[in-house]
Structures are given as C-alpha cells and as structure tokens.
Amino acid sequence: MKVLSGKAAFKGVAIGKVKEFGGKQVEVNRTSVTDVEAEISRFEAAKETASDQLGKLYEKAVAEVGEENAAIFEVHQMMLEDEDYLDGIKGMIRDEQVNAEYAVSVTGQNFSEIFASMDDDYMRERAADVKDISARVVRILAGVEEGGAVMEEPSILVAEDLAPSETLQLDRSKVLAFVTRKGSTNSHTAILARTMNIPALVMVSEAENVDGLMGIVDGKEGKLIIEPDEETLKSYQEKLEAQRKEQELLNALKGRPSVTKDGRKINLYANIGGVEDAEAALANDAEGIGLFRSEFLYLQSNDYPTEEEQFEAYRAVAEKMGGRRVIIRTLDIGADKQIDYFELDREENPALGYRAVRICLNKKEVFRTQLRALCRASAYGRIAIMVPMIISVWEVLTVKEILENIKKELREEGKEVGEIEFGIMIETPASVIIADELAKEVDFFSIGTNDLTQYTLAIDRQNAKLDMFYNAHHPAILRMIRMVVDAAHEAGIWAGICGELGADTTLTEEFVNMGVDELSVSPAMVLPVRHKVVNM
Ligand code: PEP
Ligand code: MG
C-alpha cells in the first residue's frame, strides 16, 4: 500500500481502478514542405474546424455546467484568433518551410512556457489552455478523432493535468474521481470537478506508474492510496457507503423550504469568496448569499481592483442568484489577510489593529470605489451591504452617510441604484453589548462567530497551541448570540449567523429555538443544515 499526498480540490471518497489519462496524443514529426502557402491554407482550414468544434463544445457546456463554466471555450476560441499566436505559426511554416503540425505544436509549446512563467495565477493557468487548443489543431491536421482515455469501467482518472475541454468530454458515468500531478485548486478543471460533484485532487506529484492499479481517493484529506490493504479498503468502503446514503437523503431536500415541522422558517444562505462560488451555492440550493467575502477580489489582484472590475463581479453574483438576497461584505482586510499594495505597517497585535472598517474609514477613496461598485450592481439584483468589525454607533452612522452620498452622486450621474438593505456584522463583544442601539440604525445583523469567539474568549484564531482552550460552544458565545437576536427582534430587524458556528449541525436546533432568522454556511453545508431544520 502506498499513500500519496496532494491537495484536495473537491471532497468525497472514490474507490476504483486507476486509469492514466494521456489525452489522445498525436506524434508530431518535423517534415519539410515545398508549397508553404498551401501548408498555411491547410493550417487555416484546421483552425476553422477547431473553432467550430469549440463553438459546439461551448453550447454543450452551457447546457451541462452553466454559462460561467462554459466560458472557457469562448476563451479558447479567442485564443485561437490571437494575432501573435497565428503569426508565430504561419511565420514558422513560411520561414522554416515546415509542416503545419510541427509549427502548431512548437508554437503552442512556446506560448505555454511563456504563460507558465508569469507571476499572475490567472495567466499561469492559461498555459494549459494554449496547449489544449494547439493539441486540438494538431489532431485535426493529422485527421485523428477526438477523445481521451477510453474507459471500459468507472475509474479514477490520473493525468499530468487536465484541460477543461478534456474534462468536459469525458463520459461522466465512468469517472469516479480526478487526480492530477500538476494543476491548482483554482484551475478551471478543479472548478469543473466541483460543479460536477466529483472528488478531485491536484498536485499529487508522485502519482506515477499507477495505471491499472487499485486506488482510493480521499478528497477530504487530499490523499491517493494505491493498492490499499484490506483494512484500509474496508474502512473506505464504509465511508463511501455512508457518503452515498447521506447524499441521497440530502438531494431529496433540494427545492424544499427550510421550515421546521411546526412551521418556523430559517433563511439558509451560502458563504462565498468569489463569483464562481455562486454556482456551488445554487447547485446546493442555497436560498441566497449570506456572506460574500469581497476581500478575495482584492487578495487576488496585484493592485486595487477598479470600480468597473468590482461592479462586474458583484453584478455577476447578483444576476446569477436571480431575485435571491446577496449580502456583500465590505472590504475586511488586515490581521491575517494582508495585501502588499495596501502597504500596511507591521503591528504588535494585528487582530486588534488596523483592519476592516477601520481601514475603510481611513482610506476613503478605496471605500468609495467599492461602495460605488456595490450601488451600481444593486440595479441588477437584490444586493445587501454588510460592514464588518463594528464596535460603535458612530462608525455605522459614518458609513451610512458615505453610502447615501454615493447613491445621490450616482443618481446625479444618471446611474440606476436599486433598493439596498444595510447591515452590520456582530463580531466584537462591544457590538453585542450595544446591539440594541445598533439595531436602530440597520436593517439586519449577521453574527461573525469566528471573530466573536476570538475576541470574547481572548483566543487568537490563528494560534494552534490554544486549541485546548478553544470551545466553540462556550456558554458566553451562545448567550451573546441570544442577546443579539433578542435585540434585533426588539427593534424589528432580523439576525443571522455567518461564522463557521452556523454550520455546526449540533447547534442548529438551539439556534432555531433562539429565533435566529438566517444561517449562512459553506455551499456544501446548506443541505446538511436544511436536513436538521426540516427534522426538528
Ligand atoms: C467571522 O468572523 O465569523 C466571519 C464570518 O468573518 P471572517 O471569518 O471572514 O473573519
Ligand atoms: Mg470576521
């Protein structure tokens, strides 16, 4: 038995035979051509066929995995039209008098290496895409049919890397899991695996010479186990069976309201970190987005994201969620979330330092840019704005004033602004104690139990040494949640929980009994929590 480690890209267990996936590689030889113009025309025709194939793949993908995941094929079509790429290929055929297969293959390889060496994660991921489109054109030139590994039986697919188009063309009934030696958890393939609900591992660099062997994928621990011993196999078979039963039960809950037997309704929302996660929220039947951690947009960028970039992201989520509520949290950086271009000073106590709304109220232009983007996006869906790390009423009033000025300014510019609910996060003990006063100023509260626990128990959430003192169910926290809900209801507003505690199904009943109106959890936890609610 061999245990190989990698990174989990999507949860779940799979057991089966391992199949090495090489794609359909065409051996490319360099040959000389005499009629270079005829060779260039042959290339042009193959490029057109490739573009047609991609157009069809796009339509298939839209139907199967949604427009956003399908967009990669549009990107491929655009890359096929890239002037530099085309000039590279044609120039090579002309200058070196070589066959089109060779020119496409070498140019594709060169471009892929350039992309792979870039600093930007997004651009690095394009390396696999340019290889993918070049391989497609080569296949067409060589007259080879499409298709990857032929799998007679459902298998665990192991590959160096998987191109999105290869992933989508696989016979899904035959894929138990994806394992790649390279790849990243943010690659389109990993995103597709999540959308397709298939366990996936990336960066399992030692998964060599495993074709045909028995394997287990543990998508929770990020492990590929090769030729498991009997005991390991048995324990994973039990896990798999439990997983199957659980999923069946949970799927039956899709489309059902989250209502207790005696008729109490809970709004069951999802926490997301980016536009692409909205897909998972919908796939798991979330009734809205309870926390969009907008700082991920800033963390993924090398400079302040522009108003336009943010507007596009917020609008995309709002539109995707249809009329459902989408609560977007304003920038929450500082402490453990550091961003170079903000040039924040080193601090003695960063968790108690310059972070979240404290930064926003100092860097007003940065804050204004985000609020303008949010207000503009509100014309395209049901957007709510939520501010983190509040300790005082004056902070709320100041943010509200800035927000009102921005709405006015946008309307004067002739831009539409929709109805926007305004809420705050309750994640400091101070905000719990003055919740009655804060409640008069806002439309809702969302309790951030991660920080509320850290500040109440005086336990740094990053410090693993304090685990033995950390009690997520500490009575102080549970009493505080009750106090916040009571203060909210007293003022006629609603209160939810968006910290990790909201997904703790051992507490669901207690939360509902306290009168918590909303729980916002990771997409995969929506149905397990609904299961609790409908059975109480
Ligand atoms: C929280 O503190 O509970 C919360 C939801 O915010 P974050 O985990 O992003 O700090
Ligand atoms: Mg927090």
Side-chain angles (χ1 to χ4, degrees):
M1 178 167 100
K2 253 196 313 190
V3 181
L4 311 174
S5 308
K7 245 185 154 168
F10 195 59
K11 66 185 168 76
V13 168
I15 303 174
K17 216 180 213 174
V18 175
K19 178 87 196 164
E20 175 74 33
F21 176 82
K24 204 156 221 177
Q25 298 288 347
V26 178
E27 200 179 322
V28 177
N29 295 314
R30 179 185 175 124
T31 54
S32 301
V33 293
T34 41
D35 188 348
V36 289
E37 290 314 318
E39 196 63 8
I40 287 173
S41 304
R42 198 165 78 82
F43 162 67
E44 302 265 20
K47 190 201 91 184
E48 285 314 310
T49 308
S51 187
D52 288 348
Q53 285 180 356
L54 288 166
K56 288 196 187 107
L57 267 173
Y58 172 75
E59 274 159 31
K60 178 173 186 268
V62 169
E64 289 185 10
V65 291
E67 218 165 286
E68 194 186 331
N69 288 314
I72 186 64
F73 297 113
E74 279 190 321
V75 173
H76 281 197
Q77 270 180 315
M78 275 179 332
M79 285 171 105
L80 251 188
E81 296 303 328
D82 182 86
E83 288 290 330
D84 292 336
Y85 176 71
L86 296 180
D87 288 350
I89 293 167
K90 288 187 233 169
M92 193 163 179
I93 297 175
R94 205 170 270 131
D95 300 343
E96 300 185 27
Q97 300 187 324
V98 288
N99 52 329
E101 288 89 333
Y102 183 76
V104 173
S105 172
V106 171
T107 310
Q109 184 61 32
N110 291 344
F111 272 69
S112 165
E113 280 165 19
I114 295 170
F115 281 127
S117 68
M118 290 184 176
D119 283 338
D120 186 288
D121 281 350
Y122 178 84
M123 294 311 283
R124 258 202 313 277
E125 276 158 24
R126 300 288 75 75
D129 296 322
V130 75
K131 260 196 195 161
D132 192 19
I133 58 166
S134 304
R136 176 178 298 283
V137 178
V138 168
R139 275 197 306 269
I140 295 165
L141 284 163
V144 172
E145 287 291 311
E146 268 201 79
V150 179
M151 289 173 294
E152 293 90 30
E153 57 183 317
S155 312
I156 294 170
L157 211 74
V158 173
E160 189 65 10
D161 207 347
L162 271 170
S165 60
E166 288 171 329
T167 316
L168 269 168
Q169 283 167 60
L170 293 167
D171 178 353
R172 240 184 270 181
S173 64
K174 301 267 171 65
V175 183
L176 297 172
F178 294 119
V179 177
T180 61
R181 288 183 281 273
K182 292 199 174 136
S184 76
T185 46
N186 283 323
S187 67
H188 280 101
T189 300
I191 293 167
L192 285 171
R194 287 196 275 269
T195 318
M196 291 155 91
N197 205 359
I198 292 174
L201 307 178
V202 294
M203 291 157 75
V204 189
S205 55
E206 289 171 274
E208 301 277 4
N209 304 321
V210 288
D211 190 45
L213 301 178
M214 185 66 189
I216 297 175
V217 168
D218 183 335
K220 193 163 170 232
E221 302 290 325
K223 287 190 295 200
L224 170 66
I225 302 166
I226 297 295
E227 300 204 300
D229 57 34
E230 227 167 271
E231 198 186 325
T232 309
L233 184 62
K234 192 159 168 280
S235 102
Y236 273 97
Q237 274 163 341
E238 282 164 9
K239 278 190 194 171
L240 191 62
E241 190 46 34
Q243 180 181 302
R244 211 175 275 144
K245 283 202 183 123
E246 196 182 306
Q247 198 53 47
E248 243 170 57
L249 264 168
L250 293 176
N251 283 342
L253 291 173
K254 286 188 189 169
R256 269 185 65 177
S258 308
V259 177
T260 62
K261 286 186 180 144
D262 61 359
R264 283 171 295 164
K265 165 96 181 83
I266 273 272
N267 283 331
L268 202 40
Y269 294 168
N271 293 346
I272 62 168
V275 180
E276 60 284 354
D277 299 337
E279 211 65 66
L282 285 173
N284 286 284
D285 204 27
E287 295 155 30
I289 300 296
L291 168 64
F292 178 171
R293 289 182 160 97
S294 71
E295 57 276 9
F296 285 106
L297 294 179
Y298 293 72
L299 284 160
Q300 282 157 6
S301 181
N302 293 323
D303 204 344
Y304 295 102
T306 62
E307 179 182 319
E308 215 49 40
E309 281 164 353
Q310 293 190 60
F311 162 66
E312 288 300 341
Y314 305 145
R315 182 176 88 163
V317 174
E319 285 184 338
K320 208 172 265 296
M321 296 306 292
R324 297 179 176 99
R325 193 188 260 139
V326 175
I327 304 176
I328 303 179
R329 168 170 80 185
T330 57
L331 183 61
D332 185 10
I333 60 151
D336 54 316
K337 288 176 250 172
Q338 290 292 331
I339 302 179
D340 286 349
Y341 58 83
F342 272 79
E343 296 180 342
L344 302 178
D345 294 333
R346 247 191 64 80
E347 294 176 291
E348 285 295 320
N349 293 300
L352 304 181
Y354 191 46
R355 57 171 299 198
V357 69
R358 302 169 182 186
I359 295 178
C360 291
L361 291 180
N362 266 290
K363 289 186 178 275
K364 288 240 176 64
E365 270 319 299
V366 174
F367 196 30
R368 276 176 43 80
T369 303
Q370 177 168 44
L371 292 177
R372 276 181 61 96
L374 285 167
C375 287
R376 284 175 54 200
S378 69
Y380 298 85
R382 191 175 165 197
I383 283 190
I385 294 177
M386 163 163 97
V387 186
M389 277 299 287
I390 290 292
I391 57 167
S392 300
V393 174
W394 74 263
E395 296 162 333
V396 179
L397 296 178
T398 309
V399 173
K400 276 170 72 175
E401 191 185 332
I402 299 172
L403 183 62
E404 285 314 308
N405 285 338
I406 284 174
K407 285 184 192 166
K408 192 160 156 264
E409 174 182 295
L410 285 168
R411 288 187 179 121
E412 278 166 11
E413 289 171 22
K415 297 197 167 89
E416 199 187 331
V417 178
E419 280 290 314
I420 302 173
E421 283 175 286
F422 179 79
I424 56 171
M425 288 190 71
I426 298 290
E427 49 184 352
T428 61
S431 64
V432 176
I433 307 289
I434 60 162
D436 55 341
E437 287 180 51
L438 293 166
K440 291 181 197 143
E441 302 299 337
V442 297
D443 299 316
F444 65 91
F445 286 153
S446 185
I447 307 172
T449 49
N450 310 336
D451 278 316
L452 185 59
T453 306
Q454 126 160 304
Y455 296 129
T456 304
L457 305 187
I459 286 185
D460 177 355
R461 63 194 261 195
Q462 304 284 97
N463 191 337
K465 271 204 209 112
L466 300 176
D467 271 2
M468 66 179 284
F469 300 100
Y470 186 91
N471 172 12
H473 294 195
H474 195 292
I477 304 300
L478 298 175
R479 276 198 219 174
M480 282 178 149
I481 295 173
R482 187 183 287 277
M483 283 169 68
V484 172
V485 174
D486 288 347
H489 292 174
E490 189 72 31
I493 64 167
W494 63 266
I497 300 175
C498 65
E500 293 305 306
L501 203 62
D504 184 335
T505 48
T506 64
L507 290 174
T508 309
E509 191 159 354
E510 193 163 344
F511 290 149
V512 174
N513 288 337
M514 283 181 190
V516 170
D517 301 286
E518 175 243 22
L519 290 171
S520 190
V521 299
S522 65
M525 286 307 293
V526 169
L527 293 173
V529 176
R530 182 175 296 158
H531 181 250
K532 271 277 165 187
V533 173
V534 299
N535 284 299
M536 69 171 278

